[in-house]
Amino acid sequence: MTRDRPPATVLAFDFGTRRIGVAIGNTLTRSARPLTTIAQQAGDAHFKPIAALIDEWKPEQLVVGIPVHTDGTPHAMTAQARRFAQALSARFSLPVAFADERHTTQLAQSALDAAAAGRQGRAARDEIAAQIILQGWLDDDSGTDS
């Protein structure tokens, strides 16, 4: 991502086998916030609520967090997240960028613990993880496009 692109709404996803955290942000304000959590469903059923979010927010860009080991090497979830990103791109005809999501779940849990948030639990943690993923992407001028 470069600063000379026009302002755009961006949706980010923290892909998981049980839940998908979603965050929204804007390239003009360069800020992200948690949006929602989508429960993983059999087959492609989880794309229905994603389609509703895309229809509502009309993003110009999608970002998917790519999990890797601490040293940066891929693991089983890396391939699953990349397949999810490819499916998003194919289904919604939107550009999808990848963002490193190392430690986002731990950072999200720490943020929840520190804030003693009223919305406790894993769903809130997944949304905050997506926010951290998106904020990192917005802060990084060299975002990696797929």
Side-chain angles (χ1 to χ4, degrees):
M1 188 185 90
T2 60
R3 291 181 190 263
D4 58 342
R5 287 189 185 173
T9 299
V10 182
L11 284 179
F13 301 90
D14 176 35
F15 176 81
T17 57
R18 294 188 182 133
R19 290 170 305 280
I20 302 169
V22 185
I24 188 163
N26 185 286
T27 59
L28 179 64
T29 61
R30 301 183 72 78
S31 62
R33 68 177 176 87
L35 187 59
T36 191
T37 299
I38 297 168
Q40 275 284 24
Q41 301 172 32
D44 288 345
H46 54 269
F47 284 111
K48 185 174 181 179
I50 292 171
L53 290 172
I54 288 173
D55 186 52
E56 177 180 359
W57 294 100
K58 306 204 181 333
E60 291 86 11
Q61 175 75 52
L62 305 177
V63 175
V64 174
I66 299 298
V68 292
H69 289 292
T70 304
D71 67 359
T73 59
H75 54 72
M77 283 301 294
T78 307
Q80 289 183 37
R82 286 188 180 279
R83 281 193 297 274
F84 173 72
Q86 290 169 344
L88 284 173
S89 178
R91 187 174 292 255
F92 300 110
S93 300
L94 289 168
V96 178
F98 298 119
D100 186 338
E101 72 165 49
R102 275 180 273 191
H103 311 295
T104 56
T105 301
Q106 295 87 345
L107 290 169
Q109 188 62 52
S110 295
L112 277 174
D113 293 344
R119 292 180 59 206
Q120 295 292 328
R122 294 174 188 221
R125 183 181 69 195
D126 294 328
E127 294 169 28
I128 293 170
Q131 175 190 14
I132 293 167
I133 290 165
L134 181 52
Q135 192 62 58
W137 184 84
L138 289 167
D139 291 345
D140 181 10
D141 285 340
S142 64
T144 306
D145 295 335
S146 61

